[in-house]
C-alpha cells in the first residue's frame, strides 16, 4: 500500500499534502454531516423551539370564589387592596453589593479588566455603604408608613426570604432529582441552582394599605422618580426606590369572623335566668368550618401541578409555588370549586397578535351554615354565662366538688332533617383569629382544649343512652320486639351477675328501684338499661353492629369538609364478627354496646344524623356543610314504620312524661327542661362513661398520675323538634358536654336553648 | 518599469490561486448577504458608531481588503521572504506593547474583557489577525531549508518559538486566536516532512492535555480548575446540551443553543429572508453577525446555504494546497500550507461550536463573519497565495521537503 503510493506519488511533499487534504476533507465531511443531521432530522423540533420564542405567554391570576352562608351572607371573599412590594434583592440585602459593584465597574471601566479579585472587592467595598444607607433608610420609612416597628418589618422580610428559599430549595431539589435520573454520577445542587423568578420579583412587605398610607407611598415613589429624571448625585440617593412598587394585592376577607349577639336568658334554668338580655361579642365565628388559606406545599403541587409531568400545556387549574390554597374547613374541602382557572395571555411578538383567554374565577360556595345561628349558639356557650360551667344540678354529690364552677368543653350541632344540611356546628372552646396569631402553640398544641378541632364533627365520644333509639328501631325492624310487647326491668339484666349490667335506676335509693315492665316508648323515655341490654342480646353482636353501621356510626362524614378533619367514630370490624371471641366480638359486647358503651363511638354530628334518619322514617341522607350542587347521597334503611313510630313516641314521652329523662331538672324544684312552646320536642339524654381518659400531656408515652385527668361522664342530649303542621320533625339538635355529668342535667338545658335560638332566627 | 506588466502576466497564470480568490470572494459575499438578514447596527457597536447596516460596512471592508490584497500581490516572493523576519518582529513587538500594563485605554480599549484591538480613531485593528499571517510566514521561512525537525529535539524548537506570540495573545487574553497556532504549526511540520510518528506523539499529547482538562472540569473542585470559570462553564454547557439537558440554556449555554436551534430550523432550503430575520431577532441570537453567522446562513438558506459555504471552503483550501503542490519554492509552499491550515482550523472550530459539537470560543468564520481586520487578513493570505502561485520556478532548484527517496526524484 505504502509502496504503491510512493510509486504513484514519488514526492514526499505531495504525499504529505494528500494527507492534509484528506484531513481537510474529513473535517469538512464531519461538519457537513452534522449540518445534515441538524437540518434534515432535527428540523421540526428546532423550528418549533425557535418559533416558541415568537410567542410570549403570561398567565393571568384568577379570583377565588366566595363562601356564603345559607342565606347568602358573605363568609369569605377576596377584596382588592394595595401592597408595598420590594424587590427580592433588597429584601435579602444583596442589592447594596450589586449596585456597588456596578458603580465600581462603571467608574473604573478603564482598569477593571486588569484588577484581580481582591482588588475589585476592595474597590466595591468603598461603594457599598452609600447603598446600604439607602436600604436602611427605606426600612425606616416603610416602618413608619406602615405604623409597625422595625422588628416587625424585619420579621416580614425574614418570612419572605424563608418562603423564597424554601421554594427554591424545593424546585432545585426536584430539578436535581430529575437530573439524577438522567445522569449516572452525583449531581451537585450548584448545577441546578439557577435563580427563580421569585428571586427577581417584588414581594409585599406592607399589605392592605389604607388610603392615607397609599397616598404617602405614591408621593415617595413620585419623588424618587423625579429625582431619577434629574441628573447628579440625587439619583443615587433614591435609587433604591426603583426597586419598590405599589402592587395590587388580594386579600381574603372574612366579614363574619366577629359578631355581636344579644343573648336572651329569660328561659334559662332558674339560677342562670335573667330578664335582661346580655350583649356578647363572639370571635372566631365558624372559623373552624370556614377555614383559612395558606401557601401551597409540596403535597398540592404533587397532586395537581401547574406543569404536569411531560405536558406541553399547563394545567391552568394546577398549583404553582406561591399560590394559596385552603388550609382547613370549607376553604380546604371546597378547594376545587373555589379555586378557579388561571387565564392565559398569548402575545405573538412578530405580528403583534394577542390571544387572551380570560381567567375563570372560582365558583361561589354556599355553605349550609346559618352564621347568625352559629354565632348565637356560640355566644350562649360562653362559660361566663353559666350553661357551659359546672353547676350543682349537673352532678351527683361526690362529683360536685370537683366540677362545680369549672368551664366545660363541648359541642352543639344543628341539622335540617329534610336535607341533612348542617345549620350550625359550634365547639367550645375554639380558636379565634387572635389566638391563631398570638398563641399558635395553644391552638395547635393543647391536648385538652383542642382549640382547632370542632368537637361537633371532629371528635367521637361514647354515645351512652343516646344510641338507644337506634337499637329499638333495629329490634322492631328485625322482629325481635313489637308493639304491645314489654321487657321487665328488675334492676339488673342478669340476676346471676347482679354487679354488672345494672339499670341506672337500680343504683338510686339503695338498689331498690326498678322500672318494672316497659313498652318500647317507655324504654326510651325512661332510658332503661335492662330493656336495651335485652334488645342487644336479642339482636346479637353481628346484627347490632350491622345496624349501627347502617346508621353511619364508624364511617359517616359530612360533605364539604375534608374527611381528615372529621371523626368517623368507631365500631368493631364487621368482617370479624364471626371470628372466635378473642379476635372478634361477643354477646356481652352487644349487650354492652346496646346502651352505647364499650366498643362504639360517634360524633355529635353522627348522632344528629342518626336521629334525623329515624325522623325521616329510615332515609339516611349524608350530612352536608354545603348547599346546592349535587344533592347529598341518600340510602333507605328500610326501617319498620312501627319501630320508627315507637322511637318517636318514646322521645316525645321522654320530654313530656314526668318519668322521662329529659322532662325536668330534679335539683331545681322539678323545673321543666324544655320550655319552648308551640312546637313538638322529642329528645333523648345520654350520660356516657368514657372510662379513664389518659392525656399524654408531656408527650412521653408514659402514663403518669397527673395525666389520668378525668373521672366523670360525658353529657349528651339529642333532640328533634317539629313545627306545628309538619308531618315529621324539622330539625335535629345534638349537644355534647365533655364530663358534663348528667345528660338531662347539663346537655338538655343547652339543647333547649338551641331550640330557642332556632326560634330567634326564625326557624321555629 | 517593465516589472509591473510582467507581474500581471505572471499572476494571470496562477490558476490555482484564482480559484482560491474566487472562493474567498464567494464566501465574503455570502457573509454580506447573510448580514443583510440582520438589523442595522446599534450606535456604539464596534464599527457602527454612525449607524448603518453590517452588510454595508462589510461590503466597504471587502473593497478595502481586495485593495490590500492587490498590494501584497505586487512584490516578489523573494522580497516577501526577506521582509518576513522584520515584519514578524514588528508585529510581536506590537502584541507585546498591547499587553504592557498601563497602556492608555484610548489606544488599547478593553472589549469583552480582551485587549485585542488598537483604536486608531477611525478604525480598530486587531493585530493578532496579522500576527497569524506573520507567524505562518516566519515559520515557513524558518523551515524552508532546514531538516532539523526530522529529529524529535529539532522538532521542539518550532513549538518553543510558537509560545512567544501565543503567550502574548493569551495575555490579551484571546484563547480562541491562540489555540489556532497549534494546528497550523502541526500542518506545516507535516508538510515539511517531519516524522509522522513524532507528530502523532505530539497530537497524542495534545489530546491527552485536552482530555485532562475536560476531566478536571468534572472531577476537580472549583478552586483547583486549570481553566477559567467561564471556560469550564462553557465546556459543561456544551456537553450538557448534547445530553439533552436544559440547565444551562438560559445562561452559559444560551448562545450555542440558539445557534444550533436556528441552524437546524433552516432545514434543507431555508426559511427565506423575512422569516429567518424574524426568528433570529426574537430568539436574540447573540453575535449573529459575527461568531454565529453560520446560524444566519443556515436559517435563511438552509442546508443548501451551509453546504455551499462548506463547499467554498473546500475549494479555497483545496486551491491553496494545489498551489503548494505546484510550487517549487519551499518558502511559498509552506506558507500556502500554513494559510490553508489556518483557514481550515478556524472554519472547523467556528462551525463546530455553532453546531454544538465544540464549546463556545470566540473564533470568527474566516471571510464570512463581520470584521474588517479579519477580512483584510483573509485577503492578504489569498493575495500571498496568488503571489506565490505566480512565481516562476528558479532555474536551478533543489526539490524541497523530499527526505525519503531523494534518489528516485532525480532519476
Amino acid at each position: 500500500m505504502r509502496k504503491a503510493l510512493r510509486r504513484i506519488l514519488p514526492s514526499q511533499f505531495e504525499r504529505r499534502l494528500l494527507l492534509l487534504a484528506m484531513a481537510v476533507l474529513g473535517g469538512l465531511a464531519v461538519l457537513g454531516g452534522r449540518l445534515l443531521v441538524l437540518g434534515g432530522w432535527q428540523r421540526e423540533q428546532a423550528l418549533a423551539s425557535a418559533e416558541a420564542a415568537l410567542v410570549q405567554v403570561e398567565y393571568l391570576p384568577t379570583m377565588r370564589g366566595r363562601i356564603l352562608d345559607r342565606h347568602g351572607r358573605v363568609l369569605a371573599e377576596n377584596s382588592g387592596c394595595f401592597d408595598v412590594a420590594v424587590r427580592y434583592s433588597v429584601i435579602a440585602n444583596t442589592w447594596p453589593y450589586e449596585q456597588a459593584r456596578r458603580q465600581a465597574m462603571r467608574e473604573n471601566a478603564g482598569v477593571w479588566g486588569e484588577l484581580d479579585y481582591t482588588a475589585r472587592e476592595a474597590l466595591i467595598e468603598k461603594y457599598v455603604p452609600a447603598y446600604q444607607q439607602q436600604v436602611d433608610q427605606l426600612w425606616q420609612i416603610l416602618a413608619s408608613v406602615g405604623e409597625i416597628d422595625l422588628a416587625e418589618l424585619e420579621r416580614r422580610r425574614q418570612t419572605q426570604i424563608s418562603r423564597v428559599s424554601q421554594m427554591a430549595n424545593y424546585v432545585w431539589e426536584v430539578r436535581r432529582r430529575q437530573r439524577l435520573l438522567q445522569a449516572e454520577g452525583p449531581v451537585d445542587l450548584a448545577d441546578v441552582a439557577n435563580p427563580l423568578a421569585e428571586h427577581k420579583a417584588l414581594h409585599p412587605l406592607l399589605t392592605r394599605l389604607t388610603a392615607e398610607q397609599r397616598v404617602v407611598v405614591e408621593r415617595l415613589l413620585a419623588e424618587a422618580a423625579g429625582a431619577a429624571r434629574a441628573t447628579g448625585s440625587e439619583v443615587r440617593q433614591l435609587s433604591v426606590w426603583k426597586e419598590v412598587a405599589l402592587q395590587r394585592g388580594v386579600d381574603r376577607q372574612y366579614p363574619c369572623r366577629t359578631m355581636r349577639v344579644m343573648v336572651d336568658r329569660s328561659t334559662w334554668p332558674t339560677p342562670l335566668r335573667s330578664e335582661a338580655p346580655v350583649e356578647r361579642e363572639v370571635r372566631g365565628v365558624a372559623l373552624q368550618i370556614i377555614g383559612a388559606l395558606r401557601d401551597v406545599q409540596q403535597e398540592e403541587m404533587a397532586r395537581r401541578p401547574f406543569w404536569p409531568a411531560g405536558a406541553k400545556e399547563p394545567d391552568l387549574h394546577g398549583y404553582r409555588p406561591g399560590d394559596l390554597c385552603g388550609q382547613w374547613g370549607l376553604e380546604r374541602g371546597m378547594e376545587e370549586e373555589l379555586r378557579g382557572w388561571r387565564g392565559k395571555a398569548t402575545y405573538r411578538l412578530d405580528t403583534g397578535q394577542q390571544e387572551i383567554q380570560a381567567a375563570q374565577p372560582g365558583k361561589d360556595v354556599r355553605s349550609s351554615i346559618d352564621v347568625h345561628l352559629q354565632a348565637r349558639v356560640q355566644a350562649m356557650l360562653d362559660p361566663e354565662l353559666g350553661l357551659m360551667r359546672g353547676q350543682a344540678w349537673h352532678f351527683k354529690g361526690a362529683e360536685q366538688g370537683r366540677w362545680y364552677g369549672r368551664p366545660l368543653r363541648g359541642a352543639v350541632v344543628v341539622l335540617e332533617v329534610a336535607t341533612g344540611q348542617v345549620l350550625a356546628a359550634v365547639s367550645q372552646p375554639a380558636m379565634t383569629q387572635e389566638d391563631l396569631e398570638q398563641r399558635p402553640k395553644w391552638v395547635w398544641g393543647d391536648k385538652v382544649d383542642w382549640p382547632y378541632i370542632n368537637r361537633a364533627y371532629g371528635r367521637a365520644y361514647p354515645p351512652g343512652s343516646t344510641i338507644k333509639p337506634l337499637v329499638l328501631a333495629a329490634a322492631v325492624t328485625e322482629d325481635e320486639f313489637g308493639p304491645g310487647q314489654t321487657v321487665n326491668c328488675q334492676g339488673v339484666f342478669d340476676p346471676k351477675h347482679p354487679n354488672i349490667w345494672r339499670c341506672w335506676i337500680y343504683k338510686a335509693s339503695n338498689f331498690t328501684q326498678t322500672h318494672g315492665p316497659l313498652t318500647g316508648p317507655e324504654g326510651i323515655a325512661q332510658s332503661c338499661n335492662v330493656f336495651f341490654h335485652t334488645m342487644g342480646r336479642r339482636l346479637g353482636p353481628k346484627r347490632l353492629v350491622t345496624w349501627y353501621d347502617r346508621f353511619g356510626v364508624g364511617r359517616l362524614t359530612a360533605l364539604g369538609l375534608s374527611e381528615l378533619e372529621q371523626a368517623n367514630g368507631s365500631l368493631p370490624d364487621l368482617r370479624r364478627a364471626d371470628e372466635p371471641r378473642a379476635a372478634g366480638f361477643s354477646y356481652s359486647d352487644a349487650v354492652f354496646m346496646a346502651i352505647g358503651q364499650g366498643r362504639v363511638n360517634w360524633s355529635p354530628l353522627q348522632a344528629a344524623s342518626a336521629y334525623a334518619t329515624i325522623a325521616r322514617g329510615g332515609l339516611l341522607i349524608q350530612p352536608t356543610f354545603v348547599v346546592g350542587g349535587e344533592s347529598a347521597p341518600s340510602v333507605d334503611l328500610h326501617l319498620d314504620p312501627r319501630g320508627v313510630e315507637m322511637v318517636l313516641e318514646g322521645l316525645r314521652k321522654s320530654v313530656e312524661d314526668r318519668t322521662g329523662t329529659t322532662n325536668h331538672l330534679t335539683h331545681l324544684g322539678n323545673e321543666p327542661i324544655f320550655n319552648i312552646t308551640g312546637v313538638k320536642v322529642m329528645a333523648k339524654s345520654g350520660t356516657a362513661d368514657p372510662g379513664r381518659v389518659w392525656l399524654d400531656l408531656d408527650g412521653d408515652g408514659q402514663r403518669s398520675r397527673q395525666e389520668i385527668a378525668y373521672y366523670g361522664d360525658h353529657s349528651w342530649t339529642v333532640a328533634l323538634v317539629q313545627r306545628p303542621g309538619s308531618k315529621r320533625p324539622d330539625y335535629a339538635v345534638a349537644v355534647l358536654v365533655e364530663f358534663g355529668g348528667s345528660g338531662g342535667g347539663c346537655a338538655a338545658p343547652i339543647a333547649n336553648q338551641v331550640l330557642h335560638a332556632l326560634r330567634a332566627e326564625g326557624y321555629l | 518599469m517593465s516589472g509591473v506588466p510582467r507581474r500581471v502576466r505572471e499572476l494571470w497564470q496562477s490558476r490555482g490561486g484564482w480559484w482560491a480568490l474566487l472562493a474567498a470572494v464567494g464566501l465574503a459575499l455570502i457573509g454580506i448577504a447573510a448580514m443583510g438578514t440582520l438589523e442595522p447596527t446599534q450606535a456604539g457597536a464596534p464599527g457602527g458608531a454612525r449607524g448603518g447596516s453590517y452588510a454595508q460596512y462589510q461590503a466597504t471592508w471587502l473593497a478595502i481588503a481586495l485593495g490590500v490584497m492587490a498590494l501584497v500581490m505586487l512584490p516578489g516572493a523573494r522580497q516577501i521572504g526577506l521582509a518576513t523576519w522584520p515584519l514578524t518582529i514588528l508585529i510581536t513587538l506590537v502584541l507585546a506593547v498591547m499587553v504592557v500594563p498601563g497602556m492608555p485605554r484610548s489606544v488599547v480599549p478593553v472589549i469583552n474583557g480582551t485587549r485585542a484591538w488598537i483604536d486608531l480613531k477611525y478604525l480598530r485593528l486587531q493585530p493578532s489577525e496579522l500576527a497569524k499571517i506573520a507567524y505562518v510566514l516566519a515559520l515557513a521561512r524558518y523551515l524552508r531549508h532546514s531538516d532539523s525537525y526530522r529529529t524529535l529535539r529539532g522538532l521542539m524548537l518550532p513549538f518553543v518559538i510558537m509560545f512567544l506570540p501565543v503567550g502574548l495573545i493569551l495575555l490579551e487574553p484571546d484563547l480562541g486566536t491562540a489555540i489556532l497556532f497549534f494546528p497550523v504549526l502541526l500542518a506545516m511540520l507535516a508538510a515539511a516532512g517531519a516524522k509522522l510518528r513524532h507528530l502523532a506523539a505530539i497530537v497524542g499529547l495534545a489530546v491527552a492535555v485536552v482530555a485532562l482538562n475536560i476531566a478536571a472540569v468534572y472531577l476537580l473542585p472549583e478552586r483547583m480548575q486549570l481553566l477559567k470559570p467561564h471556560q469550564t462553564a462553557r465546556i459543561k454547557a456544551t456537553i450538557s446540551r448534547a445530553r439533552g439537558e436544559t440547565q444551562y440554556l438560559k445562561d452559559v449555554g444560551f448562545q450555542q443553543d440558539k445557534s444550533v436551534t436556528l441552524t437546524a430550523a433552516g432545514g434543507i432550503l431555508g426559511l427565506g429572508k423575512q422569516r429567518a430575520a424574524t426568528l433570529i431577532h426574537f430568539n436574540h441570537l447573540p453575535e449573529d453577525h459575527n461568531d454565529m453567522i453560520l446560524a444566519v446562513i443556515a436559517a435563511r438558506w438552509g442546508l443548501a446555504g451551509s453546504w455551499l459555504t462548506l463547499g467554498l471552503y473546500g475549494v479555497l483550501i483545496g486551491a491553496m494546497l494545489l498551489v503548494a503542490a505546484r510550487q517549487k519554492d519551499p518558502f511559498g509552499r509552506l506558507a500556502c500550507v500554513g494559510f490553508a491550515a489556518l483557514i481550515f482550523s478556524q472554519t472547523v472550530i467556528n462551525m463546530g461550536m455553532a453546531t454544538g459539537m465544540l464549546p463556545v470560543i470566540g473564533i470568527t468564520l474566516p471571510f464570512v463573519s463581520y470584521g474588517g481586520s479579519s477580512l483584510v487578513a483573509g485577503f492578504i493570505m489569498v493575495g500571498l497565495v496568488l503571489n506565490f502561485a505566480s512565481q516562476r520556478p528558479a532555474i536551478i532548484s533543489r526539490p524541497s521537503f523530499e527526505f525519503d527517496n531523494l534518489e528516485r526524484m532525480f532519476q
Side-chain angles (χ1 to χ4, degrees), chain A residues 225-236:
Chain A
R229 258 180 234 119
T231 48
S233 59
E234 284 166 300
V235 178
R236 255 168 231 136

Side-chain angles (χ1 to χ4, degrees), chain A residues 292-335:
Chain A
L293 300 182
R294 63 161 165 80
D295 283 330
V296 286
Q297 289 168 3
Q298 202 167 334
E299 115 190 43
E300 286 83 25
M301 286 189 285
R303 180 166 58 78
R304 186 116 192 211
F306 187 70
W307 288 104
K312 286 200 173 137
E313 282 294 308
D315 177 0
L316 295 175
H317 192 59
Y319 293 98
R320 299 172 95 177
D323 282 359
L324 292 174
C325 67
Q327 186 172 7
W328 74 82
L330 290 166
E331 293 274 30
R332 178 199 198 181
M334 301 305 288
E335 173 74 10

Side-chain angles (χ1 to χ4, degrees), chain A residues 296-489:
Chain A
V296 286
Q297 289 168 3
Q298 202 167 334
E299 115 190 43
E300 286 83 25
M301 286 189 285
R303 180 166 58 78
R304 186 116 192 211
F306 187 70
W307 288 104
K312 286 200 173 137
E313 282 294 308
D315 177 0
L316 295 175
H317 192 59
Y319 293 98
R320 299 172 95 177
D323 282 359
L324 292 174
C325 67
Q327 186 172 7
W328 74 82
L330 290 166
E331 293 274 30
R332 178 199 198 181
M334 301 305 288
E335 173 74 10
E336 287 300 299
E337 298 279 313
L338 290 166
R339 181 167 163 67
W341 272 258
R342 277 193 163 82
K344 186 180 173 187
T346 312
Y347 307 104
R348 288 281 309 197
L349 296 177
D350 51 339
T351 60
Q353 273 179 320
Q354 297 184 2
E355 191 188 314
I356 295 176
Q357 179 188 341
Q360 212 177 315
K363 292 191 194 108
D364 287 354
V365 165
R366 190 154 193 168
S367 165
S368 62
I369 295 290
D370 178 336
V371 75
H372 283 187
L373 180 70
Q374 174 89 11
R376 192 174 283 279
V377 172
Q378 189 177 338
M380 77 194 199
L381 293 188
D382 186 340
E384 275 184 37
L385 298 181
L387 281 177
M388 286 294 274
R389 188 178 278 278
Q391 304 290 356
W393 60 88
H394 294 169
F395 309 100
K396 289 173 219 121
E399 288 168 349
Q400 267 189 27
R402 195 180 345 232
W403 294 111
Y404 186 77
R406 295 273 185 91
L408 298 171
R409 305 176 181 87
V412 170
V413 59
V414 183
L415 209 63
E416 188 177 55
V417 170
T419 57
Q421 292 168 5
V422 181
L423 270 66
V426 182
S427 185
Q428 165 66 34
M431 61 184 173
T432 64
Q433 192 62 39
E434 292 74 22
D435 294 330
L436 276 169
E437 283 156 15
Q438 287 157 21
R439 41 178 197 159
K441 235 177 146 178
W442 174 71
V443 169
W444 304 111
D446 195 301
K447 289 178 178 162
V448 180
D449 285 340
W450 297 110
Y452 73 92
I453 290 181
N454 190 321
R455 290 169 174 78
Y457 52 84
R459 298 204 79 186
Y461 302 90
S465 304
T466 52
I467 208 158
K468 287 172 180 171
L470 280 61
V471 181
L472 181 62
V476 175
T477 306
E478 295 280 348
D479 271 337
E480 295 294 350
F481 191 75
Q485 295 182 24
T486 58
V487 171
N488 188 16
C489 169

Side-chain angles (χ1 to χ4, degrees), chain B residues 124-145:
Chain B
R124 284 182 184 156
L125 286 182
Q126 207 177 347
S128 56
E129 291 288 343
L130 294 176
K132 286 188 281 192
I133 298 172
Y135 172 75
V136 168
L137 292 177
L139 208 59
R141 187 86 183 154
Y142 171 77
L143 295 174
R144 132 190 95 126
H145 293 313

Side-chain angles (χ1 to χ4, degrees), chain A residues 11-12 15 114 179 191, chain B residues 105 245 247 275 402 404:
Chain A
S11 158
Q12 185 197 16
R15 287 200 305 277
E114 281 164 17
R179 292 239 301 136
D191 291 343
Chain B
R105 297 298 129 197
E245 297 166 0
Q247 57 165 331
R275 190 123 176 266
E402 308 295 348
D404 52 356

Side-chain angles (χ1 to χ4, degrees), chain A residues 26 83 276 415 594 620 631 658 744:
Chain A
D83 299 341
L415 209 63
L620 185 146
S631 58
R658 286 291 300 163

